[in-house]
Amino acid sequence: MRIVVPAGGIGGARFLRGLKATLGIVAGQDSDSTITVIGNTGDDITLFGLRVCPDLDTVMYTLGGGINEDQGWGRDDESFTVKEELLAYGMQPDWFGLGDRDVATHIVRSQMLAAGYPLSAVTEALCDRWRPGVRLIPMTDDQVETHVVVEEGGKRRALHFQEWWIRHRAALPALSIVGVGADEARPAPGVLEAIREADAVLLPPSNPVVSIGSILGVAGIREALEQAVVVGVSPIIGDAPVRGMADACLTAIGVETSARAVAEHYGPRLLDGWLVDEADAGAEADGIEVVSRPLYMSGPKATADIARAALDLALDLKERRG
Ligand code: GDP
Ligand code: CA
């Protein structure tokens, strides 16, 4: 079975761990199932000359066993000597958590990019070490950066998404969220083929605006997904993001923070099925099959059950479509 998962960072990575478990995918062993992950690169940022891809790395570290489990991002057993030394030089920015082990990943990536390799090839090379058990492809090899337009003291300015998200904790009200470069970006090699060949596409509980939204913004990806059977897992439970600040992103694009509103935002052309939490049972969206299940990824078993439910719904819808 071939499954495609467009994913952001933490929510996407945890869901993928559950999906691997339910499909019995173990690194280094052959399996009948393949998972292709289309990773969000809208959050990518260049810091101190290093190219950092937070969502690709979160997926790679989580599935490869190198993640800091408590944080959900960054390396386990991490130290911050490089960061402290940069601060001692007065280097900015000082708000991004750049750990020493993590820096090695960014050095390898930056060096390969400088040598002319596309990000998709770089990601593949990094995954040679981590063996995530999925094929991880960035949404595009072109540069797309999510910027957030805010108003401060009567003046409008655009910040890099990371500055808004991490430095300001998404507390500056956003007027709009823009994927700079998205219009010209082309899907990375393999992305459209994987979608075309997929038995099912599963949208994990990722940020609908800055993770899934960025991926959908790359020309051709949304159109390809509209032809596939797509089932999404709501990242909103009982009108609140389970963790993080996804509500600030939804508000910025004028979408209510509810499981139903997110489904309607994606729309019936994209979504065939939608899993909502039991707290949202009864939620309906025109043209979309809504099913309720416990959706807290509270542990390996609960997460595998969510992935299984999403997959079963997708296969069921595919069969009914004929
Ligand atoms: P990020 O790049 O690290 O922000 O990760 P994602 O783009 O994958 O978005 C994470 C989203 O997943 C958050 O906005 C939450 O709304 C959602 N989320 C986190 N944990 C859970 C969970 O246990 N269950 C569900 N249903 N959603 C979750
Ligand atoms: Ca992210």
Side-chain angles (χ1 to χ4, degrees):
M1 195 158 33
R2 285 176 285 206
I3 300 163
V4 167
V5 180
I10 303 174
R14 290 191 173 155
F15 174 83
L16 282 161
R17 197 152 57 180
L19 183 61
K20 274 174 65 182
T22 196
L23 291 169
I25 295 179
V26 179
Q29 287 179 22
D30 284 342
S31 166
D32 296 339
S33 302
T34 58
I35 303 172
T36 301
V37 179
I38 304 171
N40 171 42
T41 60
D43 300 11
D44 295 5
I45 187 166
T46 300
L47 296 168
F48 314 111
L50 300 176
R51 192 68 181 158
V52 180
C53 302
D55 284 355
L56 294 179
D57 288 349
T58 294
V59 170
M60 185 173 78
Y61 293 155
T62 301
L63 302 184
I67 197 77
N68 178 320
E69 289 289 347
D70 299 329
Q71 261 173 197
W73 54 270
R75 289 295 316 280
D76 55 348
D77 199 15
E78 186 58 292
S79 56
F80 290 88
T81 306
V82 171
K83 186 179 178 180
E84 283 159 23
E85 290 293 314
L86 287 167
L87 286 179
Y89 284 110
M91 293 284 280
Q92 289 291 334
D94 58 5
W95 42 262
F96 197 89
L98 209 54
D100 299 331
R101 289 175 186 275
D102 201 21
V103 161
T105 303
H106 310 321
I107 291 175
V108 174
R109 174 183 295 121
S110 304
Q111 193 170 349
M112 286 188 73
L113 288 171
Y117 290 96
L119 182 63
S120 50
V122 175
T123 305
E124 204 180 320
L126 293 170
C127 286
D128 271 346
R129 172 184 174 194
W130 289 103
R131 312 234 160 240
V134 300
R135 180 167 177 228
L136 175 61
I137 317 180
M139 63 190 197
T140 179
D141 280 330
D142 302 320
Q143 196 154 316
V144 176
E145 275 189 1
T146 304
H147 288 203
V148 180
V149 180
V150 298
E151 199 170 63
E152 263 184 316
K155 277 206 188 127
R156 285 187 178 200
R157 67 185 181 103
L159 320 179
H160 190 286
F161 170 74
Q162 297 293 359
E163 186 175 0
W164 179 69
W165 191 251
I166 298 174
R167 185 180 188 190
H168 298 287
R169 312 285 317 147
L172 293 175
L175 301 178
S176 62
I177 297 181
V178 196
V180 179
D183 288 346
E184 298 82 45
R186 285 154 307 144
V191 166
L192 296 182
E193 292 79 349
I195 297 171
R196 263 199 301 272
E197 292 166 2
D199 295 299
V201 175
L202 306 179
L203 301 185
S206 282
N207 188 307
V209 185
V210 296
S211 293
I212 305 294
S214 301
I215 298 168
L216 295 175
V218 177
I221 294 187
R222 176 186 269 274
E223 292 70 18
L225 290 173
E226 284 175 357
Q227 306 303 314
V229 177
V230 179
V231 168
V233 177
S234 176
I236 305 298
I237 297 182
D239 300 341
V242 185
R243 57 197 301 278
M245 308 164 285
D247 50 329
C249 301
L250 287 166
T251 304
I253 63 159
V255 174
E256 187 188 274
T257 300
S258 72
R260 180 193 50 79
V262 173
E264 286 174 347
H265 167 64
Y266 285 139
R269 286 174 68 97
L270 177 74
L271 272 189
D272 298 277
W274 186 237
L275 288 189
V276 301
D277 187 75
E278 288 175 324
D280 301 304
E284 286 177 25
D286 267 351
I288 301 167
E289 177 101 359
V290 181
V291 172
S292 65
R293 282 277 178 291
L295 288 191
Y296 281 104
M297 298 187 288
S298 50
K301 170 79 168 74
T303 308
D305 287 348
I306 294 168
R308 172 52 62 184
L311 183 57
D312 284 348
L313 178 56
L315 297 177
D316 182 38
L317 288 168
K318 186 182 161 87
E319 200 172 289
R320 277 195 264 157
R321 266 190 181 185

